[in-house]
Amino acid sequence: SWTNRGGTWTVGSGYLREGGTTSSSWDQIFGGSSSWTDYTLETDMYIESGNAAITVRSSGTSDGSNIVYEFTSGTIYRLYDNTFSPSSSVTSATPLQQWIPIQIVVGGNTIKISTSGSVAWTDAIIGHSSGRIGLGDFGPGQARFKTIRVRPFTVTEPSHGQWGGES
């Protein structure tokens, strides 16, 4: 189930949309479980205006630890107990007003963000062992999300079968 943490969320025309216009609000909707640890989140994102954000390993609607990628500026933010701090920048920002495929892999102590099939950022996660996902926008932004998929992330070791000529 999804939990609204602000904004005006609607479902229509095949996508989830936040359409608020408040100038300084962070509008998010959270899904999943606070016990989720390793997962892959995939979605198609469309930024109408402003900024869009995807949150992983979040405590949800209360203060806590979140990792947020702000897509239009290409800046990664970490949010600890309601305090934002930029952690790194990505060389390319996400364009406005077109659908962009986003994949975020959260595994162990690592997060990897890919846009349009290219890895945009990889870094360590510090202090975030589990949490929900969040979709949203910040400031006077409006964003859409469709085809939202979350699946378990597992690391598989290569299997070694019989080598040629062995029985």
Side-chain angles (χ1 to χ4, degrees):
S1 71
W2 293 91
T3 305
N4 186 348
R5 185 189 165 206
T8 306
W9 291 92
T10 57
V11 176
S13 302
Y15 55 82
L16 174 66
R17 179 180 187 261
E18 198 294 306
T21 57
T22 305
S23 63
S24 63
S25 69
W26 177 350
D27 301 323
Q28 285 187 295
I29 190 166
F30 288 95
S33 169
S34 60
S35 66
W36 281 0
T37 55
D38 299 339
Y39 49 86
T40 299
L41 166 64
E42 297 172 317
T43 188
D44 295 323
M45 181 179 64
Y46 184 102
I47 303 171
E48 294 179 36
S49 63
N51 297 300
I54 295 179
T55 304
V56 297
R57 289 193 178 168
S58 173
S59 60
T61 58
S62 63
D63 291 351
S65 298
N66 301 282
I67 297 169
V68 177
Y69 182 71
E70 187 179 77
F71 283 91
T72 53
S73 70
T75 301
I76 308 295
Y77 285 91
R78 286 195 172 96
L79 174 65
Y80 295 102
D81 295 325
N82 266 346
T83 301
F84 278 101
S85 62
S87 65
S88 67
S89 292
V90 177
T91 56
S92 63
T94 302
L96 294 174
Q97 300 179 346
Q98 68 183 43
W99 287 105
I100 302 293
I102 305 291
Q103 180 186 62
I104 300 177
V105 178
V106 181
N109 292 327
T110 304
I111 180 172
K112 179 174 72 173
I113 300 172
S114 301
T115 60
S116 301
S118 299
V119 175
W121 182 73
T122 301
D123 202 3
I125 297 173
I126 302 169
H128 304 275
S129 60
S130 65
R132 304 176 78 190
I133 62 165
L135 306 172
D137 57 30
F138 183 76
Q142 297 173 330
R144 304 176 195 173
F145 301 90
K146 68 177 182 178
T147 319
I148 303 163
R149 295 177 298 274
V150 179
R151 55 188 161 83
F153 170 75
T154 56
V155 176
T156 56
E157 296 295 323
S159 63
H160 298 285
Q162 295 178 336
W163 297 93
E166 296 177 348
S167 53

